[in-house]
Each structure stands twice: as C-alpha cells, then as structure tokens.
C-alpha cells in the first residue's frame, strides 16, 4: 500500500487527537508540577496560587481557596499544553524532537512564570532569586512540565 492511498484524517479526528494531546499533556504536567511543589514547599501551595489572583487574603485558607488554586494551576498547564500544540502545527520540529523541545519548553514555561505571570499577579512576586532556586525551577519545569507536554503531543497528535 503506497502513501497516496492512505486517507487523510478528518477534521473531527484531528480535533479529537489535538484535544487528547492537550488533555494528557496538561493533566500530566499539572499533576507532576503540583505534587513536586507541594512536596518541596508544603501542601498550601494551591493557596499561594489563589493569592496570585485574589491577593494575600487568600492565604488564610479555606476549601474554596484551595480548590480555586488547583483549578487555576491546571488552567495554566492546559494553556501551556494548548500553546505547545498550536505552535507545533507550524513548527514541525516540536513534534519530531520531543526530548530537546520538551526540555527547552519547560525552561521557557519557568521563565514566563517567573518573569511575566508572577510579577503581574496580585502578589507582585519578583526577585531577587537565589541561583539555587532559579536552577531548581528551570530543571524541575524542564522535566515535569516540558517533557509530559512534548511527549503527549508526539504520542497523540496527528
């Protein structure tokens, strides 16, 4: 059977594959990232995420603030997964080289969070940061965010 006789995937199939790649990548990255953050920094991390939206009063706690922090965290990881997928439609190497591109993307995610998202948040979190913290953040996000997103795209996107 030659390649000319292989049917092109339908728009519905492409959409299903895209959504699956984004869902698996976002869910896996989000789960690994929140778990590592809670293990390293404490189980109140979702409250800090909520405080980024609502301000310091969210740090007082409560189940609503905790759940909102988790929802915001997963919204962010799904958004990063969707951006990677959308970029891969034009930058084909993103799908072809998931190891290198995933590691680079994870580092880029960390930089976007540290240099744009956190300073613009209600907490206005800015440096100075210790070199150890910067390196740790880059390495962690390269592995737990970048790689799951890039490999889910490689596995599920068509």
């Amino acid at each position: 059977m030659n390649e000319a006789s292989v049917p092109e995937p339908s728009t519905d199939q492409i959409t299903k594959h895209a959504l699956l790649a984004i869902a698996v990548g976002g869910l896996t990255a989000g789960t690994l990232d929140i778990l590592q953050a809670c293990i390293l920094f404490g189980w109140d991390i979702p409250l800090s995420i909520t405080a980024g939206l609502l301000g310091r009063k969210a740090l007082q706690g409560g189940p609503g603030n905790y759940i909102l922090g988790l929802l915001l965290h997963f919204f962010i990881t799904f958004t990063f997964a969707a951006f990677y997928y959308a970029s891969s439609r034009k930058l084909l190497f993103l799908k072809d080289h998931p190891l290198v591109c995933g590691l680079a993307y994870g580092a880029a995610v960390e930089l976007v969070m540290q240099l744009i998202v956190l300073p613009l948040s209600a907490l206005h979190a800015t440096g100075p940061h210790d070199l150890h913290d910067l390196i740790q953040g880059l390495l962690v996000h390269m592995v737990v965010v970048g790689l799951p997103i890039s490999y889910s795209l490689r596995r599920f996107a068509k």
Side-chain angles (χ1 to χ4, degrees), residues 74-85:
F74 281 99
F75 173 77
I76 291 167
T77 59
F78 282 111
T79 301
F80 278 119
F83 182 80
Y84 191 88
Y85 174 82

Side-chain angles (χ1 to χ4, degrees), residues 47-113:
L47 296 175
S48 297
I49 297 168
T50 302
L53 179 66
L54 302 179
R56 295 202 180 277
K57 66 181 180 227
L59 295 172
Q60 295 172 358
N65 285 340
Y66 200 89
I67 291 169
L68 179 58
L70 290 173
L71 292 173
L72 290 168
H73 172 73
F74 281 99
F75 173 77
I76 291 167
T77 59
F78 282 111
T79 301
F80 278 119
F83 182 80
Y84 191 88
Y85 174 82
S87 299
S88 75
R89 301 300 87 192
K90 294 289 184 193
L91 305 172
L92 301 179
F93 63 87
L94 292 175
K95 184 176 175 186
D96 295 336
H97 304 285
L99 178 62
V100 172
C101 293
L103 291 172
Y105 191 66
V109 166
E110 172 67 7
L111 293 174
V112 166
M113 293 302 297

Side-chain angles (χ1 to χ4, degrees), residues 132-150:
H132 172 269
D133 294 339
L134 291 171
I135 293 170
Q136 180 181 22
L138 286 169
L139 292 175
V140 165
H141 283 87
M142 289 166 73
V143 174
V144 305
V145 175
L147 291 180
I149 289 172
S150 67

Side-chain angles (χ1 to χ4, degrees), residues 15-33 73-74 76-82 84-85 143-157:
T15 301
K16 286 178 188 176
H17 289 291
L19 292 176
L20 183 59
I22 293 166
V24 170
L27 186 62
T28 304
T31 301
L32 292 173
D33 188 38
H73 172 73
F74 281 99
I76 291 167
T77 59
F78 282 111
T79 301
F80 278 119
Y84 191 88
Y85 174 82
V143 174
V144 305
V145 175
L147 291 180
I149 289 172
S150 67
Y151 276 100
S152 70
L153 176 84
R154 168 93 179 230
R155 169 68 177 90
F156 298 110

